[in-house]
């Protein structure tokens, strides 16, 4: 098992620089010696802002050469996208006998050029750079690592003997149970480390190494060593990453339509959101390259503040579109990130809901520089209500997030962390992946039922692509320029509810002819009836 993830920040955080800027925390102490803190951003009016670029294509015509397309869907359902049936590149291969490698881990990628020397300080906001470690939080973590013989008069933790909860037994499927006895319950009800409890962190680190084999796993901390921290759902991790990176006026890249929660988190931060065109296979690298050509090689060389800070994407089963990035496109996008020196935020809550194996290699598995921040979630596979997610990325950046956690939520619920940790220890990686197989089979069946219902009722009224992952079907209504009124007013009268596509646009007032349908909760019979009602509604609107 790996070392517990306790922030080793006392000797690196809060040291003052010797420059004239005396009051600025020396964040660069945690970075390579050659780096320097970024200056305050220029006024918004001085920012170079590229044009919006072409509108989002809705067909395979924009596919980049060499893309590996999705397999064709089963007979009797909706038409497969153009180019379907060709093999997906970069498969995860089974491990050899005796190897500890996860059977879903991708094979080694071709050797890249020398890793870049990342200047993490240029990405960090002045607020994030000013964060210092909480002495009380660090003492709490040190106390939890100390031997029982230690007598501590330092902590402000309440005495667990006065708590009313004494023990718990949580029944698990297939006849097993998670037992939390009195001693473990005392710990479960107490404060814990801001990065996560040690045993869960250790399990997650090993799992990420075995599953993704990130090149950064063996780097030094200053080079961007892979680090993990637990968050209260992946949404908390995303919000803290955004607040760590975004100054007002910064340029950021994403492919919309995208998750409305991401847009809601980004808008108040005052950044310029640049939409990158995509199709059913995800971001189109050629379009991304065209947008990035706005910036010159001198901008890159001089680390211009106008350069995009990061690219945000949901690479598998995107919410709402169901799009999944192909391996070849990921490779092209990563090389563009290296060329223009931006980070990649790989928000992947549907990674474990890919319907076909082998699973696609991740950006994390390609990350030779330490420029990928990855979010994972247990919400879709263990529980959405327990609120457990985790961030994986370069240590200098993950440490910044942990400092934010110290002064906000303090830590994710110790009880839920212990409950999930006990389950994962009981299952092991093999049992966890077997559980995922059962979850995927359920959602695959649900998806197929929705596709059958769509083909039955909407074939001549709408267009869609079969999703290769996730929980959603993205439907374009023919002859309807904007679905907002159709869904929010008239659909309720027909007793059917979907989400109008405008909710996922950067500008939510922009018209959209799309709707999002979820196949996670409804039965096949309900899906059939819902699409019949939707079909009647569309016919009336036309």
């Amino acid at each position: 098992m790996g070392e517990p993830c306790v922030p080793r920040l006392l000797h690196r955080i809060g040291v003052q620089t010797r420059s004239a800027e005396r009051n600025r925390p020396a964040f660069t102490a945690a970075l390579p010696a050659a780096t320097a803190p970024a200056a305050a951003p220029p006024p918004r009016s001085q920012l170079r802002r590229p044009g919006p670029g072409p509108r989002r294509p809705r067909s395979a015509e924009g596919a980049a050469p060499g893309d590996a397309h999705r397999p064709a869907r089963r007979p009797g359902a909706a038409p497969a996208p153009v180019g379907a049936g060709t093999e997906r590149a970069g498969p995860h291969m089974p491990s050899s006998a005796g190897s500890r490698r996860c059977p879903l881990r991708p094979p080694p990628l071709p050797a890249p050029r020398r890793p870049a020397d990342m200047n993490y300080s240029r990405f960090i906001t002045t607020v994030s750079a000013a964060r210092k470690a909480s002495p009380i939080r660090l003492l709490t973590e040190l106390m939890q690592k100390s031997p029982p013989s230690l007598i501590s008069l330092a902590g402000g933790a309440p005495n667990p003997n006065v708590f009313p909860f004494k023990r718990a037994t949580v029944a698990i499927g297939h006849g097993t149970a998670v037992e939390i006895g009195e001693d473990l319950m005392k710990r479960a009800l107490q404060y814990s480390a801001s990065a996560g409890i040690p045993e869960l962190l250790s399990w997650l680190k090993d799992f990420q190494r075995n599953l993704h084999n990130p090149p950064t796993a063996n780097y030094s901390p200053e080079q961007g060593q892979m680090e993990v921290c637990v968050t209260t759902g992946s949404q908390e991790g995303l919000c803290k990453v955004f607040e760590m990176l975004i100054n007002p006026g910064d340029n950021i890249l994403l492919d919309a339509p995208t998750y409305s929660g991401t847009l809601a988190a980004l808008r108040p931060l005052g950044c310029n959101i640049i939409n990158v065109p995509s199709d059913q296979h995800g971001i189109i690298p050629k379009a991304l390259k065209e947008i990035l050509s706005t910036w010159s090689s001198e901008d890159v060389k001089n680390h211009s503040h106008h350069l995009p800070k990061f690219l945000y994407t949901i690479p598998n089963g995107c919410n709402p579109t169901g799009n999944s990035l192909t391996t070849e496109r990921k490779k092209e996008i990563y090389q563009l990130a290296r060329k223009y020196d931006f980070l990649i935020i790989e928000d992947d809550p549907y990674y474990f809901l890919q319907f076909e194996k082998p699973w696609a290699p991740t950006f994390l598995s390609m990350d030779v520089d330490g420029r990928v921040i990855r979010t994972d979630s247990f919400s879709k596979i263990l529980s959405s209500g327990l609120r457990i997610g985790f961030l994986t990325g370069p240590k200098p950046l993950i440490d910044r997030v942990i400092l934010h956690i110290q002064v906000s939520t303090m830590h994710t619920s110790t009880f839920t962390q212990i409950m999930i940790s006990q389950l994962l220890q009981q299952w092991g990686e093999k049992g966890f992946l077997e559980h995922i197989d059962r979850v995927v089979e359920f959602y695959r069946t649900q998806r197929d039922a929705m596709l059958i219902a769509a083909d039955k009722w909407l074939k001549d009224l709408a267009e869609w692509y079969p999703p290769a992952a996730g929980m959603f079907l993205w439907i374009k209504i023919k002859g309807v320029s904007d679905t907002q009124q159709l869904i929010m007013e008239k659909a309720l009268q027909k007793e059917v509810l979907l989400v109008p596509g405008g909710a996922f646009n950067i500008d939510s007032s922009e018209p959209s002819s799309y709707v999002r349908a979820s196949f996670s909760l409804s039965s096949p019979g309900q899906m059939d009836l819902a699409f019949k009602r939707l079909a009647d509604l569309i016919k009336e609107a036309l």
Side-chain angles (χ1 to χ4, degrees):
M1 304 298 287
E3 289 287 321
C5 178
V6 178
R8 296 182 290 276
L9 298 169
L10 285 176
H11 67 295
R12 297 190 281 108
I13 302 299
V15 181
Q16 297 300 311
T17 64
R18 295 183 180 179
S19 66
E21 196 179 5
R22 297 288 182 183
N23 295 325
R24 183 182 176 91
F27 173 65
T28 49
L31 304 174
T35 64
R44 188 184 185 105
S45 60
Q46 296 179 16
L47 286 174
R48 295 176 60 187
R49 188 173 182 181
R55 290 182 63 87
R56 172 185 172 88
R58 295 298 173 185
S59 71
E61 294 175 359
D67 273 1
H69 297 292
R70 303 293 176 198
R73 64 160 304 201
R74 299 175 185 181
V82 177
T86 58
E87 186 177 351
R88 204 168 170 177
H92 291 67
M93 301 298 291
S95 59
S96 59
S99 172
R100 293 185 66 248
R101 192 175 81 180
C102 173
L104 295 172
R105 195 177 100 183
L109 294 168
R113 70 176 190 266
R114 186 178 68 83
D117 293 327
M118 294 295 292
N119 177 3
Y120 292 111
S121 65
R122 97 166 179 82
F123 296 101
I124 302 301
T125 65
T126 52
V127 171
S128 183
R131 297 192 187 280
K132 297 182 180 180
S134 163
I136 299 299
R137 288 269 76 212
L138 292 177
L139 281 173
T140 299
E141 296 167 12
L142 287 171
M143 186 175 68
Q144 292 172 350
K145 294 174 63 181
S146 301
S149 58
L150 174 74
I151 299 173
S152 174
L153 304 179
N159 194 311
N161 291 322
V162 303
F163 296 157
F165 309 101
K166 299 304 176 185
R167 64 181 63 83
T169 300
V170 181
I172 306 299
H174 308 286
T176 59
V178 168
E179 299 282 351
I180 302 178
E182 287 196 31
D183 289 341
L184 188 57
M185 180 62 84
K186 288 180 180 179
R187 185 174 160 231
L189 299 175
Q190 193 56 275
Y191 294 125
S192 59
S194 294
I197 62 172
E199 60 268 42
L200 179 57
L201 278 173
S202 182
W203 197 97
L204 292 174
K205 284 183 180 180
D206 285 347
F207 184 69
Q208 294 295 72
R209 289 190 189 102
N210 293 337
L211 187 61
H212 303 290
N213 190 27
T216 55
N218 297 316
Y219 286 12
S220 68
E222 294 78 14
Q223 290 176 315
Q225 180 186 71
M226 185 201 84
E227 186 60 286
V228 177
C229 77
V230 177
T231 57
T232 306
S234 61
Q235 184 72 19
E236 183 199 22
L238 274 179
C239 287
K240 284 180 165 52
V241 167
F242 293 156
E243 291 174 19
M244 170 180 68
L245 298 177
I246 296 175
N247 283 307
D250 281 346
N251 293 317
I252 66 138
L253 304 160
L254 59 73
D255 53 317
T258 193
Y259 174 47
S260 57
T262 293
L263 296 172
L266 288 172
R267 289 186 187 112
L269 299 179
C271 55
N272 301 318
I273 304 175
I274 302 168
N275 191 13
V276 183
S278 58
D279 58 22
Q280 74 274 15
H281 302 299
I283 292 171
I284 302 171
K286 184 178 180 181
L288 175 59
K289 187 175 183 179
E290 183 179 345
I291 290 171
L292 292 169
S293 67
T294 301
W295 292 278
S296 67
S297 58
E298 283 298 308
D299 289 330
V300 178
K301 181 180 178 181
N302 297 326
H303 301 294
S304 167
H305 290 294
H306 308 306
L307 288 170
K309 278 280 186 76
F310 61 80
L311 167 70
Y312 168 89
T313 189
I314 304 173
N316 292 294
C318 177
N319 178 2
T321 63
N323 298 343
S324 292
L325 263 172
T326 64
T327 301
E328 289 305 313
R329 289 193 180 191
K330 286 180 182 176
K331 291 177 182 177
E332 291 184 63
I333 291 166
Y334 187 81
Q335 291 308 315
L336 288 171
R338 303 190 80 189
K339 179 177 179 180
Y340 289 92
D341 194 23
F342 57 82
L343 303 175
I344 295 175
I345 299 178
E346 183 175 31
D347 184 17
D348 215 354
Y350 306 102
Y351 176 76
F352 296 114
L353 295 186
Q354 297 182 67
F355 300 130
E356 305 296 336
K357 291 183 180 178
W359 291 349
T362 59
F363 281 114
L364 182 65
S365 71
M366 306 175 184
D367 187 22
V368 294
D369 293 338
R371 64 174 69 250
V372 173
I373 303 174
R374 177 179 172 81
T375 70
D376 283 282
S377 175
F378 286 136
S379 292
K380 312 302 184 291
I381 51 176
L382 294 183
S383 165
S384 53
L386 289 180
R387 307 308 301 136
I388 295 281
F390 52 104
L391 285 178
T392 308
K395 182 172 175 57
L397 298 181
I398 299 300
D399 281 351
R400 291 279 117 193
V401 172
I402 294 170
L403 291 179
H404 194 172
I405 292 173
Q406 287 183 358
V407 296
S408 55
T409 55
M410 290 180 62
H411 60 81
T412 297
S413 165
T414 314
F415 183 88
T416 57
Q417 287 189 72
I418 283 180
M419 187 164 72
I420 284 182
S421 178
Q422 291 289 103
L423 175 64
L424 295 176
Q425 297 286 352
Q426 184 182 119
W427 275 351
E429 287 186 6
K430 181 176 181 292
F432 177 63
L433 293 173
E434 287 173 350
H435 168 73
I436 288 173
D437 285 342
R438 293 189 291 269
V439 174
V440 169
E441 182 56 35
F442 170 82
Y443 283 109
R444 183 191 295 112
T445 301
Q446 291 288 100
R447 176 202 63 173
D448 291 347
M450 177 162 279
L451 290 172
I452 290 171
D455 194 52
K456 178 179 178 182
W457 297 108
L458 303 176
K459 190 173 183 179
D460 298 322
L461 302 172
E463 298 173 351
W464 61 90
Y465 287 103
M471 299 163 39
F472 307 109
L473 186 63
W474 188 236
I475 304 170
K476 182 179 181 181
I477 308 299
K478 296 179 180 180
V480 176
S481 60
D482 189 13
T483 58
Q484 180 70 21
Q485 184 179 13
L486 182 74
I487 297 301
M488 299 307 293
E489 297 179 14
K490 298 180 180 179
L492 286 175
Q493 299 172 6
K494 294 286 187 180
E495 297 186 309
V496 60
L497 188 61
L498 301 94
V499 183
F504 307 99
N505 289 335
I506 295 171
D507 179 359
S508 59
S509 65
E510 180 183 342
S512 172
S513 57
Y514 287 81
V515 295
R516 189 197 75 178
S518 170
F519 48 79
S520 61
L521 293 175
S522 301
S523 68
Q526 289 174 320
M527 294 179 204
D528 185 81
L529 181 57
F531 279 171
K532 179 183 183 301
R533 292 172 177 175
L534 178 61
D536 292 340
L537 180 64
I538 296 170
K539 291 173 183 176
E540 290 177 8
L542 298 177

